[in-house]
Amino acid sequence: ELLALLPEADFFGEEGQHDALTSPWTFIVDPIDGTTNFVRGFAYTNISVALANAGTEPTITMTVNGKAVGAVYEGGRITYTPAADLTDGRTEVVVTAKRADGKEASFNWFFTVGKTQYQLYFGQLHSHTQYSDGSGTLTSALDYIKSIPASANVQFVAFTDHSNYFDSKTNANVEGALYDTSLVKDSDANHSWSTYKSTIDAFNAENAGSIVALGGFEMTWSGGPGHINTFNTPGFESRSNSEFGNKSGSTEGYQNYYDKLVAVEDSLSQFNHPGTTFGDFQDFAFYDPQVDQRITLIEVGNGEGAIGSSGYFPSYEYYPRALDKGWHVAPTNNQDNHKGNWGDSNTARSVVLASDLTEEGIYDAIRNYRVYATEDNDLSIRYALNGNAMGSILSKQENGVTLTA
């Protein structure tokens, strides 16, 4: 803003070094005058800005979070000492200087007091292992994501093997197995749903605070309406059960699956790779308000190939189609790993705005649509509308809207 309004202006931080002051306008900023208090969690600090070459008798004003404050300008420095502790959260400060010759410029910055309610975490919500048709054991996949370098920016990875591979070799699981684990009929003890989940739980306990693995499943229909990832359920369902279309993906079959999702209150699901290859859920038909609360995600990008290559499949146009049909879904971008390199085979990421890096924190973000998709592994987006975080569903805002980012 300074460069646009005053190309001749200069500014630098209070902690930095600078050459001799030669510009007609120079701002010296100390965003938090009282750093010792700030780092120790005390919200009582000064906010100050020094202004060089402001001429004689300039008019200097300061606003804090949009409200004018009684800042004091003296000796080329404007200082404001709040009468009470600043409220936790984002604090935005704007200083406006008007010189006697009529030239005027504003400088703004923000800082956060206390711990922010939410943090951004980057990861993946779709991948496979040898439990179904992927390469590598689940244990090797977990070892892999544990060693992903920080530069790849991966904090969580979901494993979503095809659920029919968990079936008993002789019988498909009954529909009640989604919410009653006593009904689960596993293929064998070493390749069971129980082992799958317990292995992931043990990994999370061992690596708490550094990386999170999620254990879900992909419900697939051959030649059917589409594929769906489902998370946070006690058990699983299988396409091999005639209740769900017996592999063919009949309309009745996947509507029955929707009904079962409603029966598990905390379950969460994702429309996977919508398109002509695997299906678009009959153009996102059969919207239902209850099912809408369970299916909260849609992939807008899928594939483990490099972005822009033949191994990566964007499907952005299906996102607004789903919204137009009434579905409340947040966009994701996942690698659908089948060849290993779980989490970092390319730069596509699904990003959640979560309270903490835990399974519960990530699921809460997904449940409340605090999710976005990116093809860049470090693209950070934060915004709020009238103080409401991304993903919020709002009624009509009678007094207008304020977007902060």
Side-chain angles (χ1 to χ4, degrees):
E1 185 171 354
L2 278 175
L3 293 177
L5 297 175
L6 288 172
E8 68 271 30
D10 197 4
F11 65 94
F12 62 94
E14 176 260 347
E15 303 294 342
Q17 297 181 345
H18 203 275
D19 296 333
L21 306 180
T22 58
S23 299
W25 290 80
T26 303
F27 291 91
I28 305 98
V29 181
D30 185 3
I32 305 172
D33 189 3
T35 308
T36 300
N37 278 352
F38 183 77
V39 297
R40 291 180 178 176
F42 301 113
Y44 195 71
T45 62
N46 285 342
I47 301 169
S48 60
V49 174
L51 179 60
N53 300 327
T56 59
E57 299 183 357
T59 300
I60 314 293
T61 59
M62 177 185 290
T63 65
V64 177
N65 290 333
K67 296 182 179 180
V69 297
V72 176
Y73 178 70
E74 185 176 1
R77 185 183 186 94
I78 183 170
T79 302
Y80 168 62
T81 302
D85 288 352
L86 295 172
T87 303
D88 283 0
R90 174 178 166 136
T91 297
E92 185 170 6
V93 182
V94 180
V95 173
T96 302
K98 185 174 183 178
R99 249 177 13 186
D101 62 6
K103 287 191 174 183
E104 180 178 331
S106 295
F107 181 69
N108 67 289
W109 72 96
F110 71 89
F111 57 90
T112 301
V113 177
K115 183 179 179 180
T116 56
Q117 183 180 4
Y118 299 121
Q119 302 291 332
L120 293 175
Y121 299 107
F122 292 67
Q124 288 293 306
L125 292 168
H126 193 171
S127 70
H128 301 271
T129 70
Q130 286 178 354
Y131 260 87
S132 59
D133 61 348
S135 65
T137 65
L138 176 61
T139 300
S140 67
L142 292 170
D143 288 341
Y144 183 91
I145 68 171
K146 183 179 178 179
S147 63
I148 291 176
S151 59
N153 202 20
V154 176
Q155 289 89 48
F156 65 91
V157 175
F159 297 95
T160 53
D161 279 292
H162 299 285
S163 58
N164 51 295
Y165 282 81
F166 292 108
D167 277 335
S168 164
K169 289 182 172 64
T170 56
N171 293 299
N173 276 270
V174 299
E175 60 270 18
L178 182 66
Y179 44 81
D180 185 350
T181 55
S182 69
L183 299 175
V184 172
K185 300 174 183 177
D186 289 311
S187 56
D188 62 70
N190 295 322
H191 198 80
S192 69
W193 173 253
S194 175
T195 303
Y196 192 72
K197 295 287 283 186
S198 62
T199 301
I200 290 173
D201 288 344
F203 174 86
N204 287 335
E206 182 181 338
N207 297 279
S210 58
I211 192 164
V212 172
L214 304 174
F217 63 89
E218 184 172 16
M219 184 70 166
T220 61
W221 292 273
S222 299
H227 297 182
I228 295 175
N229 276 355
T230 295
F231 307 95
N232 205 30
T233 58
F236 67 93
E237 301 288 21
S238 166
R239 72 183 188 190
S240 300
N241 189 311
S242 59
E243 182 81 7
F244 306 115
N246 194 25
K247 296 186 181 181
S248 65
S250 68
T251 296
E252 181 182 2
Y254 87 91
Q255 287 185 84
N256 287 342
Y257 186 65
Y258 285 0
D259 291 341
K260 289 298 180 289
L261 295 180
V262 172
V264 183
E265 184 176 357
D266 293 327
S267 73
L268 297 163
S269 289
Q270 169 181 270
F271 290 127
N272 288 347
H273 41 61
T276 56
T277 301
F278 297 106
D280 62 2
F281 311 93
Q282 294 188 326
D283 198 16
F284 304 100
F286 308 112
Y287 167 84
D288 177 90
Q290 289 183 297
V291 181
D292 185 43
Q293 294 178 24
R294 303 292 188 265
I295 303 177
T296 61
L297 302 173
I298 181 173
E299 284 185 334
V300 298
N302 175 283
E304 51 198 322
I307 303 301
S309 74
S310 60
Y312 173 72
F313 309 95
S315 54
Y316 303 114
E317 67 273 20
Y318 289 90
Y319 181 34
R321 281 171 53 179
L323 297 177
D324 288 344
K325 292 301 178 73
W327 298 97
H328 294 83
V329 284
T332 64
N333 199 330
N334 301 307
Q335 294 162 13
D336 195 1
N337 306 85
H338 284 76
K339 302 176 182 178
N341 297 330
W342 302 269
D344 67 344
S345 66
N346 61 25
T347 57
R349 298 290 184 271
S350 295
V351 189
V352 299
L353 185 64
S355 58
D356 53 24
L357 185 58
T358 62
E359 190 174 10
E360 295 77 13
I362 293 170
Y363 285 150
D364 179 71
I366 292 172
R367 183 175 295 107
N368 291 285
Y369 316 103
R370 296 193 305 271
V371 184
Y372 65 87
T374 174
E375 295 179 346
D376 186 335
N377 66 359
D378 62 358
L379 176 65
S380 295
I381 300 174
R382 288 177 178 267
Y383 66 88
L385 188 67
N386 288 356
N388 298 283
M390 70 169 73
S392 300
I393 298 176
L394 306 177
S395 59
K396 183 178 180 180
Q397 303 294 289
E398 299 292 348
N399 298 317
V401 297
T402 300
L403 181 67
T404 56

